[in-house]
Amino acid sequence: MDFNASSSFENENEGVSIAEHFLDFLDVKSTTGKNQTDVLLQELDELGLQIKDCRGQGYDNGSNMKVELVEVTEDPKANNEAQSVKNEISSYEFLLALCIWYDVLFAVNSVSKNLQAQKMHLGVASQLLQGLVQFFQKFKDEGFVAATLTARELGETLGVEPKFKEARQRKKRRMFEYEGEDEPMQESAEQTFKVEYFYVIADTAAQSLKRRFEQIASYDTMFGFLYHVKELKEIKEDKLFQKCTDLESFLSFEEEKDVCGRELFSELKVLREILPAEVVTAAGILRFMNRI
């Protein structure tokens, strides 16, 4: 498990800088969440860092999922399974699925790269995620047709016939005694794939991103006035005071708090009056404060 930390520091030539630093590789005997937590807390204690003073996030990356590898020998059963896999990945459904996932991952990756930009802040991050949510809402309506066209073009190149497997047969339920015998009802194979595969992907992605957007939006609501210099300069004093006290409550736990809302309000009232016009970013505010 690698261990990174972000911090702000002062440099006589460059002023205030915020950077991430690699600290160490931590040896873990077990990849369970509890064991990783215990190892991390022990390392923080050895470094003299208090967990209550740390702010950040961690990624499991699915390391708790263990896979047992089994050696496959040459036998008829293995050959049949290999042939089945070959047939599956040579099918039109598989090709269409690849096209769908390409569109999904391309959109997510584009936004993800922007979110990692050095000058990214909460307001822009919130807008990017909101745009991605809207993309998937539109993608559900139009993405299937676009992916189908792409899959057919690829199919012509690869020699894959644009044909779905035979659709399942469903029987129409009898509602009354006088109705005739149940008749099989043909369901379009393409429609089945669209409903049971494409819609599931689009809805799952949209819901997941919606939760992330709502989380980032809530952070922007709480911290945004510190990032948006123009808003900080123009906001009325009563609203500024309310935001400062709200931030105090948000960053409090039991009897401890990270900031005093009233003191922050007093400092920001003075700061916004003395900020030079050319200071338009949060990083610019830090550099300006470092000089005074």
Side-chain angles (χ1 to χ4, degrees):
M1 179 172 65
D2 58 336
F3 185 32
N4 301 316
S6 299
S7 61
S8 61
F9 60 90
E10 296 182 7
N11 182 290
E12 293 182 358
N13 298 321
E14 300 179 2
V16 176
S17 177
I18 299 176
E20 181 176 349
H21 304 277
F22 170 76
L23 297 181
D24 197 4
F25 283 109
L26 303 181
D27 183 28
V28 292
K29 303 301 182 183
S30 171
T31 58
T32 63
K34 181 181 184 305
N35 184 70
Q36 292 187 37
T37 299
D38 293 340
V39 171
L40 182 58
L41 290 175
Q42 181 180 350
E43 182 70 14
L44 289 173
D45 184 62
E46 293 177 358
L47 292 172
L49 299 175
Q50 297 292 327
I51 186 65
K52 65 180 181 180
D53 296 328
C54 298
R55 303 290 184 272
Q57 55 190 349
Y59 302 93
D60 191 308
N61 289 329
S63 60
N64 292 341
M65 300 174 63
K66 300 179 180 179
V67 180
E68 181 179 356
L69 301 179
V70 180
E71 183 178 357
V72 179
T73 58
E74 289 293 334
D75 59 49
K77 182 179 179 181
N79 290 334
N80 289 336
E81 291 177 351
Q83 185 62 40
S84 297
V85 172
K86 177 179 178 297
N87 293 337
E88 186 65 30
I89 64 177
S90 301
S91 66
Y92 177 65
E93 287 92 338
F94 184 81
L95 191 60
L96 179 56
L98 288 180
C99 294
I100 292 171
W101 275 109
Y102 175 84
D103 292 339
V104 169
L105 297 178
F106 182 85
V108 172
N109 186 56
S110 298
V111 172
S112 178
K113 286 184 176 180
N114 283 308
L115 290 175
Q116 297 176 53
Q118 185 176 4
K119 296 183 179 180
M120 180 58 56
H121 62 77
L122 286 174
V124 177
S126 179
Q127 293 174 4
L128 287 173
L129 286 174
Q130 184 180 27
L132 193 56
V133 171
Q134 293 172 348
F135 165 82
F136 276 106
Q137 291 172 344
K138 185 177 181 181
F139 179 72
K140 183 178 180 180
D141 297 329
E142 304 175 1
F144 186 77
V145 174
T148 299
L149 294 175
T150 303
R152 289 180 177 178
E153 292 177 359
L154 290 175
E156 292 179 1
T157 303
L158 300 174
V160 177
E161 184 180 2
K163 182 179 180 181
F164 288 90
K165 296 177 182 178
E166 291 186 7
R168 64 184 182 184
Q169 297 287 330
R170 293 196 308 170
K171 290 188 176 182
K172 182 180 178 182
R173 182 180 300 176
R174 295 176 60 186
M175 302 298 294
F176 303 98
E177 291 294 332
Y178 59 79
E179 292 183 331
E181 293 294 328
D182 293 349
E183 298 179 356
M185 183 174 61
Q186 181 74 22
E187 185 179 64
S188 166
E190 181 175 356
Q191 183 65 19
T192 300
F193 185 90
K194 183 178 182 180
V195 172
E196 297 183 358
Y197 186 83
F198 174 75
Y199 280 168
V200 172
I201 292 175
D203 288 338
T204 301
Q207 289 300 318
S208 176
L209 289 167
K210 183 179 179 181
R211 289 193 296 269
R212 291 177 181 270
F213 162 69
E214 291 173 348
Q215 183 183 48
I216 293 294
S218 67
Y219 290 155
D220 185 40
T221 300
M222 189 60 59
F223 296 95
F225 73 103
L226 298 175
Y227 284 84
H228 305 299
V229 179
K230 182 179 179 181
E231 178 184 347
L232 179 61
K233 291 181 177 180
E234 297 177 352
I235 189 173
K236 295 182 179 180
E237 287 194 4
D238 58 336
K239 291 186 177 181
L240 178 60
F241 180 77
Q242 184 62 53
K243 285 184 175 293
C244 290
T245 54
D246 288 344
L247 186 60
E248 175 186 323
S249 299
F250 185 76
L251 296 178
S252 298
F253 178 72
E254 295 181 349
E255 299 299 324
E256 298 185 6
K257 54 186 179 182
D258 288 349
V259 298
C260 173
R262 188 173 296 277
E263 291 181 2
L264 178 62
F265 170 67
S266 299
E267 293 171 355
L268 290 178
K269 278 201 307 179
V270 176
L271 177 64
R272 67 180 185 174
E273 297 299 331
I274 63 176
L275 274 178
E278 63 270 17
V279 176
V280 294
T281 65
I285 293 178
L286 288 176
R287 287 191 291 268
F288 172 74
M289 293 176 62
N290 184 61
R291 294 197 302 266
I292 61 177

